[in-house]
Amino acid sequence: MDLGIRGRRALVCAGSKGLGRGSAEALAAAGVNLVLNARGAGALAETAAAIRAAHGVEVTEAAADITTEAGRAAVLGVAGAVDILVTNAGGPPPGLWRDWARDDFLRALDANMLTPIALMTALLPGMTDRGWGRVVNITSQSVKAPIAELGLSNAARSGLTGYVAGTARQVAPFGVTINNLLPGIHATDRADALDRGAARVQGVSLEAVRAARAATIPARRYGTAAEFGAMCAFLCSIHAGFIVGQNILLDGGAINATF
Ligand code: NAP
């Protein structure tokens, strides 16, 4: 399927690895030029080079911490006018409710709620002026069904979800869509770190933790960054203009709900 976005320009945040990289690769495969962000310049340069070589699109590297005001200013300065925004950042650490203080919540809110909102605030006006735009926020299945030890993530991402629900309806008249993608367990460094932590706490092998988690998923496996990226690119396509303010779960059926 031709996604109809060849020659468009996308800013993909936190995109040197994992789900952000999967999204960047799928957009590049559709002919989209990229501004690619991550903190570590080395991995970012490697990913950018691989995407250029594979897809022949322009990839501009923007190494910065997207969760800081200075980092966002640097990335937005490089990005200029973009048609497509994919927001993403690292997730907050796991823990227990009684250990989280105000500063922990402020860090989580900054990274996973206020950063995507700031990026939308900066880039939506250009999209609405030009009459076309796509925003995809990478959030989490924890918005739909809480993951108790990720309470900081549950809280911050729910705030973003509420913001998107209203704002998506305000920009839709201008040809701009905003939607959220909710990953369940995907095989990335993040999932690996959580699995290693669980193995340590439970005193079992990494393989045992992985097998036990996969068994909780009806698809009986973790998702892949490529599958995730394909959905992200579709949401950014010309075919998805009628999908507005939705929260799309990619979880292999893990959350047991009728809809
Ligand atoms: P990942 O494999 O660890 O990759 C994270 C990417 O984000 C890397 O490119 C990393 O590069 C970049 N990054 C992290 N913090 C950043 C920051 N402050 N500024 C700019 N770039 C940053 O993670 P992932 O699994 O793709 O997860 C992506 C998001 O989805 C996270 O918020 C995660 O919580 C959420 N999620 C993931 C899963 C899953 O199973 N994988 C499930 C639910 C939700 P640098 O470190 O070099 O910056």
Side-chain angles (χ1 to χ4, degrees):
M1 182 192 287
D2 179 358
L3 296 186
I5 48 178
R6 184 166 299 279
R8 294 276 186 191
R9 183 174 167 84
L11 167 58
V12 180
C13 301
S16 67
K17 297 179 188 163
L19 305 179
R21 177 173 179 161
S23 302
E25 286 187 352
L27 287 167
V32 174
N33 296 313
L34 301 175
V35 178
L36 195 61
N37 155 258
R39 291 165 304 183
L44 182 62
E46 277 175 31
T47 299
I51 291 177
R52 282 184 208 109
H55 304 293
V57 296
E58 288 170 22
V59 185
T60 306
E61 296 156 40
D65 184 339
I66 200 68
T67 67
T68 66
E69 211 172 321
R72 280 191 298 278
V75 172
L76 289 168
V78 171
V82 300
D83 310 298
I84 295 168
L85 166 66
V86 179
T87 77
N88 187 26
L96 189 57
W97 59 270
R98 65 175 166 225
D99 298 329
W100 294 321
R102 179 179 166 77
D103 281 347
D104 299 307
F105 281 99
L106 291 179
R107 267 192 297 277
L109 289 169
D110 255 339
N112 299 114
M113 176 185 170
L114 298 175
T115 289
I117 290 175
L119 291 166
M120 283 185 267
T121 304
L123 294 173
L124 284 172
M127 294 182 192
T128 56
D129 285 353
R130 292 188 296 275
W132 196 91
R134 297 282 185 266
V135 178
V136 175
N137 299 296
I138 299 179
T139 68
S140 172
Q141 65 180 353
S142 68
V143 168
K144 180 120 175 148
I147 302 169
E149 66 275 19
L150 291 178
L152 295 171
S153 171
N154 301 338
R157 296 188 199 276
S158 296
L160 173 64
T161 305
Y163 170 87
V164 165
T167 307
R169 270 97 187 162
Q170 291 180 314
V171 299
F174 303 95
V176 178
T177 70
I178 313 176
N179 292 287
N180 302 320
L181 274 183
L182 284 54
I185 301 171
H186 284 70
T188 66
D189 287 359
R190 162 84 170 168
D192 202 52
L194 291 173
D195 286 351
R196 283 176 197 281
R200 251 192 324 273
V201 170
Q202 295 166 26
V204 297
S205 71
L206 181 59
E207 290 66 33
V209 169
R210 283 187 186 141
R213 278 180 99 196
T216 66
I217 305 171
R220 296 290 185 267
R221 64 175 177 86
Y222 289 11
T224 69
E227 289 170 312
F228 186 90
M231 179 52 116
C232 179
F234 179 75
L235 282 179
C236 297
S237 76
I238 55 166
H239 310 296
F242 209 50
I243 304 177
V244 169
Q246 297 303 300
N247 293 280
I248 298 167
L249 191 59
L250 298 175
D251 73 340
I255 290 177
N256 192 33
T258 304
F259 60 86

